[in-house]
Amino acid sequence: MSLFSSLDIELPILQAPMAGVQDSELAIAVSQAGGLGALPCAMLAPDVMTEELQRIRQGTTRPFNVNFFCHVPPAPDAAQLKRWHQALAPYYAEYGLDIEKVEPGAGRRPFDTAACDALEPFRPEVVSFHFGLPEPALVERVKGWGALVLASATTVEEALWLQARGADAIIAQGVEAGGHRGMFLSADVTTQLGTFALVPQIVSAVSVPVIAAGGIADAQGVRAAMALGATAVQAGTAFLCCPEATTSALHRQTLQSDAARHTALTNLYTGRPARGIMTRLMLELGPLGDVAPPFPLATAAIGPLRSAAETAGCSDFSPLWAGQNASTCRTQPAADVVRALAAGALP
Amino acid sequence: MSLFSSLDIELPILQAPMAGVQDSELAIAVSQAGGLGALPCAMLAPDVMTEELQRIRQGTTRPFNVNFFCHVPPAPDAAQLKRWHQALAPYYAEYGLDIEKVEPGAGRRPFDTAACDALEPFRPEVVSFHFGLPEPALVERVKGWGALVLASATTVEEALWLQARGADAIIAQGVEAGGHRGMFLSADVTTQLGTFALVPQIVSAVSVPVIAAGGIADAQGVRAAMALGATAVQAGTAFLCCPEATTSALHRQTLQSDAARHTALTNLYTGRPARGIMTRLMLELGPLGDVAPPFPLATAAIGPLRSAAETAGCSDFSPLWAGQNASTCRTQPAADVVRALAAGALP
């Protein structure tokens, strides 16, 4: 039943894959420290992913996790994009930018055959998915090279769905968690449970191991998650201020300020609900609503605005991803974060 | 530092005061079992409150808790009430009711001098407040007869505010909790934290004991809350199906069904955000928005609709208060619930 018996992972601490704020360096540091490092691949072009995987295999002999998204890319809707651009136009004007010149963004790639082909030579020990699972044949391919398949559930229903389709362990992602909600059976955010309610109910419902995520930032949190029946924990926010992360200076500064106490789920940055520190954009447009086009189409028009503002030292339009417990965010090596968390897993 | 050293309470288990679904009987049963029973007084007329307090003093010699609301009653706004009635009119028509005949409801009384006068002869050992604290002179009076004052915080800021104004312990109410959010410094529900994030941050911020609430339904939950630094826990949902509660048959039935997995914060039933199982009213009007008048003015027009529907065996318009973890709701004596929870507080 143990998640880790088949793998050489010392500590039941998973580093949450965090696209946009980390690369192979954080993954290597966490795996070297005895936890399970993760490489978020959703925003990586295939050649970059290959380079990053090479770096990890060179940097550590320990197991690691690669993470992919499983969304269905939406068809662009001209009327909706127009509404979105109209909502952003005043901000574009403020920075002297032209909303008419927005180009389609690189977006986010769902896991597909090409990604699986690029991944297979590296045979990563763990492959994790967000927003459901890829098609069954791809799940089988991944399991075929011996990888453990993890996937995020935000409700009991999602956990049962994932278990039935081959997930080897469930990441129970409580609503406290930073970044994208893994929700995929419903788009209704009222379905999202806090970690305290979610973990024990998923533990009761499934037979595979459960990894708790959301609001876990120190040894006490790990001990509490284990008390709720989790086999391991996944932490993200706690790693955001590590030197090995690529988190921007503005983001790091906000994470270590009182502003980090107020986060919200917002779909303004990508089109899907994700938790980040409250920004001017979120306050003025409302963090969650119909104005943003579906994931990942919102990203294209946010990019230029964010860049212009950040150049001016302003995070009004930046996705400042964070969970509801940023209290342990400090400039400290990832290995120290792993050790601090793991202290809670001792008997 | 212990919350209970000054009181003869065996077990660090508080029963959440739940107006509308319990009276003195549940409070007595919990206190007799060694926990801290609670009488919700917000909906009680002074003479009824006096009778209930007499019943408790006759029913147990153990300490108990009386709970009051501290809201500022709003001035009715005719235009807003009209919009509210218009939103409900189709449902009134469905049940052959006349929305024009809605009378102002009994509402909810905030704690005031009259309540304090009625309470003082009973000298309850614990007095708890929701939505802040009453004016300082009333807090002093309550403390003057030796009562411990508890109050609910939903953010770190609220906890600090309550401590500075004399609260002897803070109830950290995570967003998983059923019933009314205790929030009082902000009306923005994005400020509301999950128990996993809220408890440790409040424990770090204040010097008084912290009682964890929200999603705690069994021994594992109690153990986890203690691991996060809580001195005690407060559970509500776990008691809703006890024979000593006055929970309606429809409510009990829903609590023990899969429907209980989907709750939401809604302001439709009273005007303030409160967590309950999703109903037709919440789905059709949206659970949270501007359509309902401020607390407690929404209650008046809900009453007749709810009664008519419930008479027909239908809970479409009933506030089915519940937290996000109703998994332990069973028909069992309150003493058994107390014992089951307390097993998690053993070393």
Side-chain angles (χ1 to χ4, degrees):
Chain A
M1 276 301 297
S2 166
L3 176 62
F4 298 108
S5 57
S6 61
L7 292 178
D8 173 30
I9 304 174
E10 278 174 54
L11 307 168
I13 309 297
L14 285 73
Q15 167 241 318
M18 302 181 286
V21 290
Q22 61 134 141
D23 57 21
S24 53
E25 192 181 348
L26 182 63
I28 293 167
V30 170
S31 285
Q32 281 292 91
L36 184 67
L39 180 71
C41 296
M43 288 168 69
L44 302 183
D47 55 330
V48 179
M49 184 178 87
T50 297
E51 287 168 28
E52 285 286 83
L53 290 167
Q54 284 167 344
R55 275 194 202 102
I56 296 179
R57 283 294 188 217
Q58 284 157 13
T60 183
T61 56
R62 307 275 184 112
F64 67 98
N65 170 22
V66 289
N67 179 258
F68 294 89
F69 288 173
C70 299
H71 59 290
V72 177
D77 172 330
Q80 189 168 40
L81 276 177
K82 191 175 169 191
R83 284 199 305 278
W84 175 230
H85 289 183
Q86 280 169 342
L88 297 179
Y91 304 121
Y92 266 67
E94 200 177 314
Y95 282 90
L97 300 169
D98 186 352
I99 191 87
E100 301 300 327
K101 291 190 181 153
V102 168
E103 290 179 23
R108 309 285 185 276
R109 293 194 324 146
F111 188 71
D112 56 13
T113 302
C116 199
D117 290 345
L119 191 61
E120 188 161 16
F122 296 93
R123 303 171 78 90
E125 289 81 0
V126 180
V127 180
S128 64
F129 296 104
H130 218 46
F131 314 140
L133 285 169
E135 57 176 282
L138 289 176
V139 174
E140 284 314 303
R141 269 189 70 187
V142 167
K143 296 180 80 153
W145 72 65
L148 282 179
V149 169
L150 312 186
S152 303
T154 67
T155 61
V156 171
E157 289 74 11
E158 289 179 349
L160 292 168
W161 191 99
L162 293 168
Q163 175 178 260
R165 282 158 188 80
D168 294 305
I170 304 291
I171 299 161
Q173 188 197 28
V175 78
E176 294 92 334
H180 283 100
R181 302 299 308 149
M183 58 199 297
F184 61 94
L185 290 183
S186 168
D188 177 356
V189 295
T190 69
T191 61
Q192 302 296 283
L193 303 177
T195 301
F196 235 92
L198 183 66
V199 171
Q201 294 186 81
I202 290 185
V203 167
S204 290
V206 302
S207 57
V208 295
V210 175
I211 299 154
I216 302 169
D218 56 19
Q220 288 188 309
V222 174
R223 197 168 294 123
M226 300 287 195
L228 293 177
T231 298
V233 305
Q234 180 171 282
T237 307
F239 290 101
L240 280 175
C241 291
C242 294
E244 297 93 337
T246 61
T247 316
S248 73
L250 278 171
H251 194 168
R252 287 171 191 262
Q253 189 183 318
T254 315
L255 281 162
Q256 297 180 70
S257 75
D258 281 352
R261 284 188 189 160
H262 189 190
T263 65
L265 295 181
T266 182
N267 64 343
L268 293 175
Y269 291 109
T270 67
R272 265 192 190 256
R275 185 173 296 283
I277 297 168
M278 192 64 91
T279 59
R280 178 182 162 206
L281 182 73
M282 290 156 70
L283 283 169
E284 292 185 357
L285 296 187
L288 209 55
D290 293 333
V291 66
F295 181 90
L297 301 178
T299 57
I302 289 290
L305 196 52
R306 171 188 177 177
S307 298
E310 288 188 356
T311 301
C314 165
S315 59
D316 284 356
F317 305 98
S318 304
L320 302 173
W321 303 136
Q324 287 188 329
N325 187 358
S327 61
T328 61
C329 278
R330 281 191 301 279
T331 307
Q332 57 182 335
D336 289 359
V337 176
V338 172
R339 273 189 290 268
L341 290 164
L346 301 174
Chain B
M1 275 305 295
S2 165
L3 177 62
F4 298 109
S5 57
S6 61
L7 292 178
D8 175 31
I9 305 173
E10 278 173 55
L11 307 168
I13 308 297
L14 285 74
Q15 167 241 317
M18 301 180 287
V21 290
Q22 62 136 138
D23 57 20
S24 54
E25 192 181 349
L26 182 62
I28 293 167
V30 171
S31 285
Q32 280 293 91
L36 184 68
L39 180 70
C41 296
M43 289 169 68
L44 302 184
D47 55 330
V48 179
M49 185 179 86
T50 298
E51 287 169 28
E52 285 285 82
L53 290 166
Q54 285 167 341
R55 274 193 202 103
I56 295 178
R57 282 296 189 215
Q58 285 158 12
T60 183
T61 57
R62 306 276 184 110
F64 66 99
N65 170 21
V66 289
N67 179 258
F68 295 90
F69 288 172
C70 298
H71 59 290
V72 178
D77 173 330
Q80 189 169 40
L81 276 177
K82 192 174 171 193
R83 283 199 306 278
W84 176 229
H85 289 183
Q86 280 170 342
L88 297 179
Y91 304 121
Y92 267 68
E94 199 178 314
Y95 281 91
L97 300 170
D98 186 352
I99 189 85
E100 300 300 327
K101 291 191 180 152
V102 168
E103 290 179 24
R108 309 284 185 276
R109 292 194 323 144
F111 189 71
D112 57 13
T113 302
C116 198
D117 290 345
L119 192 59
E120 188 161 15
F122 295 94
R123 301 171 78 91
E125 290 80 1
V126 180
V127 180
S128 64
F129 297 104
H130 218 47
F131 313 140
L133 285 169
E135 56 176 283
L138 289 175
V139 174
E140 283 314 303
R141 271 189 69 186
V142 168
K143 295 180 81 152
W145 72 64
L148 282 180
V149 169
L150 312 186
S152 303
T154 66
T155 61
V156 171
E157 288 75 12
E158 288 179 350
L160 292 168
W161 190 100
L162 293 167
Q163 175 178 260
R165 283 158 187 80
D168 295 306
I170 303 292
I171 300 161
Q173 188 197 26
V175 78
E176 294 92 335
H180 282 100
R181 301 300 307 150
M183 58 200 298
F184 60 94
L185 291 183
S186 168
D188 177 356
V189 295
T190 68
T191 60
Q192 302 296 284
L193 302 177
T195 301
F196 235 92
L198 183 65
V199 170
Q201 292 186 83
I202 290 185
V203 167
S204 290
V206 303
S207 55
V208 296
V210 175
I211 299 153
I216 302 169
D218 56 19
Q220 288 189 310
V222 174
R223 196 168 294 123
M226 301 287 196
L228 293 177
T231 298
V233 305
Q234 180 172 283
T237 307
F239 291 100
L240 280 173
C241 291
C242 294
E244 297 94 337
T246 61
T247 315
S248 73
L250 278 172
H251 194 168
R252 287 172 193 263
Q253 188 182 318
T254 316
L255 281 163
Q256 297 179 71
S257 75
D258 281 350
R261 284 189 190 161
H262 189 190
T263 64
L265 296 181
T266 181
N267 65 342
L268 294 174
Y269 291 109
T270 68
R272 265 192 189 255
R275 185 173 295 285
I277 298 168
M278 193 62 93
T279 60
R280 177 183 161 205
L281 182 73
M282 292 158 68
L283 283 169
E284 292 185 357
L285 296 188
L288 208 54
D290 294 332
V291 67
F295 182 89
L297 301 177
T299 58
I302 290 289
L305 195 53
R306 172 188 176 175
S307 298
E310 288 188 357
T311 300
C314 165
S315 58
D316 284 355
F317 306 98
S318 305
L320 302 172
W321 304 136
Q324 287 188 327
N325 187 358
S327 61
T328 61
C329 278
R330 281 191 300 279
T331 307
Q332 56 182 337
D336 289 359
V337 176
V338 172
R339 274 189 289 269
L341 289 164
L346 300 174

